[in-house]
Amino acid sequence: MERKLIIAIDGPASSGKSSSAKILASRLHYVYIDTGAMYRACALCSLKRNIDLNDLSALTFMLADIRIDIRYAPDGNRLILNGEDVSERIREEDISRLSSQIATIGVVREKMVDLQRKLGEQGGVIMDGRDIGTVVFPHADIKFFLVADMKTRAKRRWIELEAKGLDPDLAEVEQEMIWRDKNDSNRAIAPLRRAHDAIEIDTGDLSLDDQVELLHEHIRSLQQ
Ligand code: CDP
């Protein structure tokens, strides 16, 4: 029987992580875990409870009983926060920014990393995020680091927002992304960084099919 791998995909926003991970997970019959969604859920929880992110004791209290469940589904996983399906709400732009802020905080990361390790340790998993190959699973079987130039990534996010019926401004989307890249790359704990043994793939000029095929080839070569 084929060994169940741990596959790590890291990279900045809209570099193609989640679109590749979803398709690969369904091809390989693996579970897809979007760790960004977990930080987004923490951010939403803090917002709902009106918690000041500087108030470490309030945050610690919130984390003690936070329940983040992933309901796996072929047409897209659902994220359940304390019993409520928040899958759509966590994708809104206020939560993008707040998740990047809350993700700088040590107690938050400790709790999320712990959860992520429990979810992935059995293998048969594709996990995407910013620190999967560096911190969560430094011994992952295979690591990818996806990149793309800023204009391409901003355009992708803009298209996504438009498809949701919003009226996004491309320059604003780009500014938000520049801010978030900087915040994610410069934080003290688990900054966005390519693991030394990660395969870097520039998705800027690749179609989704080509991108997925390229990752799949690397995975296949490992399984032979
Ligand atoms: O989907 P998008 O690429 O815009 O972001 P995401 O993957 O949903 O992640 C949202 C935020 O969570 C990021 O900007 C990071 O600050 C944080 N994050 C993190 O710190 N570590 C991870 N493993 C995943 C996300």
Side-chain angles (χ1 to χ4, degrees), residues 9-18 32 34-40 43 90-91 93 95-104 109 112-113 116 127-133 136 153 157 160 177 179-181 183-185 187 189-192:
I9 309 183
D10 290 302
S14 295
S15 55
K17 303 182 301 290
S18 66
Y32 165 51
D34 170 3
T35 63
M38 299 167 77
Y39 289 96
R40 288 172 177 272
I90 57 168
R91 298 290 154 200
E93 283 302 277
I95 299 299
S96 296
R97 179 172 269 254
L98 196 60
S99 64
S100 184
Q101 289 168 327
I102 209 166
T104 62
R109 300 205 72 85
M112 291 306 108
V113 169
Q116 290 155 12
M127 196 171 276
D128 80 3
R130 304 292 188 283
D131 62 339
I132 310 308
V136 183
R153 293 194 285 123
R157 182 54 46 101
E160 251 173 52
M177 216 170 249
W179 178 87
R180 199 144 60 92
D181 271 8
N183 199 53
D184 291 347
S185 306
R187 68 183 175 219
I189 315 168
L192 166 65

Side-chain angles (χ1 to χ4, degrees), residues 159-172:
I159 291 170
E160 251 173 52
L161 295 169
E162 254 226 326
K164 286 182 189 166
L166 301 168
D167 183 22
D169 178 80
L170 183 57
E172 265 175 38

Side-chain angles (χ1 to χ4, degrees), residues 28-72:
L28 299 167
H29 305 291
Y30 276 24
V31 159
Y32 165 51
I33 296 169
D34 170 3
T35 63
M38 299 167 77
Y39 289 96
R40 288 172 177 272
C42 284
L44 178 60
C45 192
S46 74
L47 188 69
K48 278 174 180 282
R49 297 193 187 177
N50 217 357
I51 293 173
D52 175 349
L53 296 191
N54 294 311
D55 185 347
L56 267 191
S57 62
L59 266 179
T60 307
F61 192 72
M62 175 191 101
L63 291 166
D65 72 350
I66 195 168
R67 272 193 10 256
I68 295 177
D69 299 307
I70 303 168
R71 202 173 289 154
Y72 301 105

Side-chain angles (χ1 to χ4, degrees), residues 70-113:
I70 303 168
R71 202 173 289 154
Y72 301 105
D75 54 343
N77 295 348
R78 308 298 298 176
L79 197 294
I80 316 296
L81 167 66
N82 296 328
E84 184 190 350
D85 188 333
V86 294
S87 312
E88 275 79 32
R89 175 65 182 100
I90 57 168
R91 298 290 154 200
E92 291 178 25
E93 283 302 277
D94 59 331
I95 299 299
S96 296
R97 179 172 269 254
L98 196 60
S99 64
S100 184
Q101 289 168 327
I102 209 166
T104 62
I105 303 170
V107 286
V108 174
R109 300 205 72 85
E110 273 166 35
K111 173 92 186 191
M112 291 306 108
V113 169

